[in-house]
């Protein structure tokens, strides 16, 4: 999911850090000897401030960078198909912190890194197959923190999401701020993101002028997309669109092409990442016979956003700004 974000838009995301500006000191309040947080509906107590955090995937890693916590990290795992990292606002973090794996975290590389906290999520590193779970890490004496976007919600064995996506982002920034004693830094980021999103919302189409939007991640036989608990839900909504899979009570999941055709989206957003380029995904969508009469395909209204834009990450507000600008070009009545 790899279309480059324009530098100006990246600056918007970096409002709280400032493009090229000096970042305020990372810690602004000394945490007590232990901190208790609510994570995925459970009270979790951390006995000390972590000093060797290991993260999995780009969005999670950049949450740490956005809070200025590079010096608290022992490394990260991330496939190298998650985009060009040279121009992101947190390039210094990537330069400073060790890239442990270009696959995903394992018990072995966590132990090798002498990690004292693993920050990952279900389907963002944590998985039952292979036994890489918070419980398995606890037995090794390593605490964990679960990305709130990925919290399991109990509707099915694997469905995820317990709160609106931006609330999940703010919850994680607030929790991390408290755990690491950077509460003011977290509050500044959140306030900046909220102002940026409010500005986009004020310009967005209203009522029946709001275009309907389908998020296409991957898949040809059945499309992989995002329901109302994935970050795309509020990225689309705040940008001025309507997510056609809002009724799906999950974060990331599959649907049938027939449901996409029935809902007839005005715009398709491609999630750009992996071995299949955004251009190849676009060509598939334009040539896929069942979609030929879908408004977005008929009028070629297809836009790509980065993977890191579309999972919980500090890039979400800039993605809202970019998509909002695009949706404002879609004519009323389509």
């Amino acid at each position: 999911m790899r279309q480059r974000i324009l530098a100006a838009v990246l600056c918007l995301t970096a409002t709280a850090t400032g493009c090229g500006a000096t970042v305020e000191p990372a810690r602004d309040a000394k945490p007590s000897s232990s901190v208790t947080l609510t994570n995925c509906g459970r009270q979790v107590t951390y006995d000390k401030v972590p000093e060797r955090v290991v993260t999995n995937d780009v969005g999670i890693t950049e949450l740490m960078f956005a809070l200025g916590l590079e010096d608290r990290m022992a490394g990260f795992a991330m496939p190298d198909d998650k985009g060009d990292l040279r121009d992101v606002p947190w390039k210094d973090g990537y330069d400073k912190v060790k890239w442990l794996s270009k696959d995903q975290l394992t018990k072995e590389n966590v132990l090798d890194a002498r990690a004292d906290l693993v920050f990952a999520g279900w389907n963002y590193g944590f998985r039952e197959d292979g036994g890489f779970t918070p419980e398995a890490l606890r037995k090794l004496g390593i605490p964990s923190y679960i990305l709130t976007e990925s919290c399991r919600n109990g509707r099915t064995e694997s469905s995820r999401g317990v709160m609106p996506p931006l609330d999940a982002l703010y919850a994680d920034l607030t929790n991390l701020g408290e755990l690491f004693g950077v509460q003011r830094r977290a509050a500044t980021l959140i306030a900046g993101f909220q102002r940026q999103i409010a500005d986009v919302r004020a310009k967005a189409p209203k009522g029946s002028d709001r275009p309907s939007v389908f998020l296409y991640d991957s898949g040809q036989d059945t499309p992989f997309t995002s329901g109302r608990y994935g970050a795309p839900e509020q990225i689309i909504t705040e940008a001025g669109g309507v997510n056609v899979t809002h009724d799906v009570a999950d974060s990331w999941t599959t649907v049938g092409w027939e449901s996409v055709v029935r809902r007839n989206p005005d715009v398709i957003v491609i999630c750009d990442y992996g071995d299949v380029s955004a251009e190849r995904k676009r060509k598939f969508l334009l040539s896929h016979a069942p979609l030929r009469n879908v408004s977005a395909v008929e009028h070629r209204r297809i836009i790509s956003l980065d993977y890191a834009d579309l999972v919980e990450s500090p890039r979400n507000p800039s993605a809202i700004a970019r998509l909002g600008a695009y949706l404002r070009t879609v004519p009323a009545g389509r």
Side-chain angles (χ1 to χ4, degrees):
M1 318 172 185
R2 214 46 33 222
Q3 185 159 317
R4 280 305 79 217
I5 304 174
L6 296 175
V9 176
L10 282 171
C11 281
L12 285 173
T13 307
T15 298
T17 57
C19 282
T22 302
V23 175
E24 66 185 64
R27 275 152 297 287
D28 53 17
K30 185 177 180 180
S32 59
S33 57
S34 66
V35 174
T36 299
L37 306 174
T38 300
N39 183 213
C40 291
R42 299 178 57 190
Q43 297 290 301
V44 183
T45 298
Y46 300 89
D47 294 332
K48 66 181 185 68
V49 181
E51 297 180 347
R52 297 190 60 80
V53 181
V54 169
T55 58
N56 190 91
D57 211 30
V58 58
I60 292 169
T61 301
E62 290 183 3
L63 285 173
M64 293 290 291
F65 293 165
L67 288 167
L69 295 171
E70 298 92 331
D71 62 339
R72 293 286 183 174
M73 296 179 65
F76 63 88
M78 181 195 307
D80 57 7
D81 63 1
K82 296 298 173 67
D84 187 342
L85 303 175
R86 291 174 297 181
D87 295 324
V88 299
W90 308 283
K91 181 182 180 299
D92 287 350
Y94 285 112
D95 290 341
K96 292 176 183 176
V97 180
K98 186 176 182 180
W99 198 327
L100 299 175
S101 169
K102 294 191 176 181
D103 186 9
Q104 56 186 343
L105 291 178
T106 64
K107 292 177 185 176
E108 290 72 25
N109 54 35
V110 166
L111 289 169
D112 286 346
R114 295 180 290 114
D116 58 4
L117 178 75
V118 172
F119 180 14
W122 291 109
N123 286 28
Y124 298 96
F126 291 137
R127 56 202 181 276
E128 300 291 352
D129 61 301
F132 192 80
T133 66
E135 177 62 20
L137 291 171
R138 186 187 66 78
K139 291 178 180 178
L140 296 174
I142 303 171
S144 59
Y145 183 87
I146 302 171
L147 183 77
T148 297
E149 183 194 47
S150 78
C151 296
R152 288 175 167 170
N153 60 34
R155 292 177 178 84
T156 68
E157 184 177 336
S158 61
S159 62
R160 297 171 292 158
V162 296
M163 65 178 68
L166 289 175
D167 289 355
L169 172 64
Y170 302 152
D172 287 335
L173 287 170
T174 299
N175 277 344
L176 294 169
E178 185 172 351
L179 177 59
F180 290 97
V182 291
Q183 294 94 329
R184 285 185 296 175
R185 176 77 177 151
T188 298
L189 280 170
I190 292 169
F193 291 163
Q194 290 173 331
R195 286 193 299 271
Q196 182 180 352
I197 293 166
D199 181 63
V200 178
R201 188 189 306 125
K203 302 172 186 174
K206 305 294 189 294
S208 61
D209 289 337
R210 295 168 67 86
S212 58
V213 181
F214 173 64
L215 185 284
Y216 177 67
D217 177 286
S218 56
Q220 296 193 0
D221 294 335
T222 55
F224 194 62
T225 186
S226 180
R228 68 173 172 267
Y229 291 120
E233 165 74 11
Q234 279 190 294
I235 290 171
I236 292 167
T237 302
E238 298 288 10
V242 177
N243 179 18
V244 298
T245 52
H246 170 80
D247 60 316
V248 178
D250 202 345
S251 57
W252 294 86
T253 189
T254 55
V255 297
W257 283 118
E258 64 279 2
S259 69
V260 179
V261 173
R262 186 171 62 252
R263 297 168 194 209
N264 193 24
D266 299 305
V267 174
I268 295 175
V269 174
I270 290 173
C271 189
D272 182 16
Y273 78 111
D275 295 332
V276 181
S277 68
E279 183 56 30
R280 283 177 60 193
K281 291 179 183 180
R282 176 185 171 86
K283 288 179 179 178
F284 164 72
L285 292 168
L286 292 174
S287 65
H288 191 44
L291 299 179
R292 68 166 65 90
N293 294 322
V294 166
S295 177
V297 171
E298 187 177 3
H299 297 286
R300 296 178 174 258
R301 289 193 289 256
I302 301 174
I303 181 175
S304 298
L305 292 175
D306 228 34
Y307 172 87
D309 294 335
L310 292 165
V311 297
E312 184 193 321
S313 82
R315 298 198 208 182
N316 295 158
S318 69
I320 291 169
R322 183 176 172 207
L323 181 59
Y326 182 85
L327 294 184
R328 292 195 295 275
T329 70
V330 177
R334 270 54 80 191

